[in-house]
Amino acid sequence: MATLMSAPELHARLKTGDRTVLLDVRWVLGRTDGQIEYLAGHLPGAVFVDLPTELADHAQPRLGRHPLPSAERFQEAARRWGINDGDTVVAYDNSGSMAAARVWWMLRNAGVSSVYLLDGGLAAWRANGYAVEPGEVISGAGNVTLGEGNMPAITELEAAQWHSDGVLLDARAGERYRGEVEPIDPRAGHIPGAVSAPTTGNIRADGTFLPADQLRQRFKEMGLDMSTSVAVYCGSGVTASHEIAALEIAGYTAALFPGSFSQWSNNTANPVVVGSEPLGEGAGGADAHAGPSGTSTSAGSSVGG
């Protein structure tokens, strides 16, 4: 199934009146102005999706900063957005699909097959000269029935062992992977054995995804082939979904570690390594540590959690 829909494809679809639910998922780590930006201008008919309250439960140290909501809570939200069984859903943001990928993954996981990311998001829509509209869209209630478990996911215990037989990708910015900065989680560094794979490397400067062959080459350089078992984490499971979308475009099926580093680093029994190597700079991961690190911010350290 396709992962992306281009702005011209979506525009043509809307002109013909094909049933399409548009979800605006503008959210960036550390900012709260997504809805304000939505109200100023969004795709015609798009419903705003509030990531922290509708695509996550409350933060819990043992589960991470953005735990997945229950299937019941998510179904309530999806119906509030006006999704019916059989609908086509297109999600977008204004940050290269980094936030929109969260609802894409969740809907796929819930059994919705016809869900796409608008390639390039709001910027691509505007670049094509298509109109936006201000104000809030309140949709009529939908009737969609959602399940769960349709996308692979791994536990904290599985994340600890994943590098032994597969490849565990860390989708955060490189400086967070290396432990140079950590703006929000209690310890800096990465899960032992994880390979650095920042999500920003999946997209062009205009926010559209790289072509499939370029993505395949990117992941090949990280040690993947088509037989590799792949799992992904980020800070809290948001941008890891973007990595999974990029992997799907490249032909891979990847599992998500939903709690990601926010869950891992809150468990002091879990080792954390620093440096550019998967097992740390020293032999056998000598730089593994469990103590807290200082926190600092870095420009562009992460688009999402």
Side-chain angles (χ1 to χ4, degrees):
M1 64 189 75
T3 308
L4 305 176
M5 186 177 292
S6 70
E9 287 172 331
L10 176 59
H11 185 257
R13 182 179 179 86
L14 296 178
K15 282 190 69 175
T16 60
D18 290 338
R19 171 76 183 171
T20 309
V21 178
L22 301 177
L23 302 180
D24 185 310
V25 198
R26 272 181 269 186
W27 176 87
V28 174
L29 181 65
R31 290 172 52 181
T32 58
D33 56 352
Q35 188 169 20
I36 295 172
E37 291 188 351
Y38 161 83
L39 292 171
H42 53 78
L43 270 65
V47 176
F48 181 72
V49 175
D50 186 62
L51 189 149
T53 61
E54 295 184 297
L55 302 181
D57 272 337
H58 296 297
Q60 303 176 49
R62 67 181 185 86
L63 295 177
R65 281 186 281 112
H66 292 116
L68 292 171
S70 68
E72 292 76 18
R73 269 199 65 217
F74 186 45
Q75 179 173 279
E76 289 175 5
R79 289 181 174 182
R80 191 163 57 245
W81 305 329
I83 301 177
N84 294 324
D85 287 324
D87 278 351
T88 291
V89 182
V90 181
Y92 73 92
D93 56 34
N94 204 25
S95 55
S97 299
M98 299 290 176
R102 170 76 166 199
V103 76
W104 168 85
W105 187 92
M106 289 176 62
L107 285 170
R108 280 281 189 87
N109 186 55
V112 178
S113 59
S114 187
V115 55
Y116 303 85
L117 293 170
L118 174 60
D119 197 18
L122 181 63
W125 183 263
R126 284 177 162 155
N128 278 275
Y130 303 141
V132 297
E133 64 180 22
E136 184 176 10
V137 174
I138 299 176
S139 179
N143 63 14
V144 69
T145 299
L146 299 181
E148 56 185 332
N150 291 282
M151 294 284 275
I154 65 171
T155 64
E156 185 178 4
L157 180 60
E158 288 172 316
Q161 303 297 327
W162 199 266
H163 69 281
S164 299
D165 298 304
V167 175
L168 180 65
L169 297 180
D170 184 319
R172 298 173 302 158
E175 59 267 28
R176 290 182 72 187
Y177 171 87
R178 295 187 295 272
E180 296 163 4
V181 297
E182 181 43 62
I184 193 165
D185 291 320
R187 290 184 286 160
H190 59 267
I191 297 174
V195 175
S196 181
T199 51
T200 50
N202 297 327
I203 56 175
R204 303 180 180 96
D206 64 359
T208 58
F209 280 84
L210 295 173
D213 59 342
Q214 292 184 32
L215 287 170
R216 276 193 294 273
Q217 181 60 33
R218 179 177 193 240
F219 294 125
K220 180 180 179 180
E221 292 171 0
M222 296 173 188
L224 276 64
D225 59 38
M226 290 304 168
S227 65
T228 305
S229 295
V230 189
V232 188
Y233 74 92
C234 59
S236 65
V238 175
T239 53
S241 300
H242 186 281
E243 195 90 275
I244 290 171
L247 284 158
E248 180 173 289
I249 293 166
Y252 295 93
T253 298
L256 172 70
F257 174 23
S260 285
F261 195 70
S262 59
Q263 178 182 6
W264 181 272
S265 60
N266 267 291
N267 184 345
T268 56
N270 288 332
V272 172
V273 298
V274 298
S276 59
E277 297 300 318
L279 290 172
E281 299 294 355
D287 283 343
H289 65 86
S293 69
T295 61
S296 59
T297 59
S298 172
S301 63
S302 180
V303 174

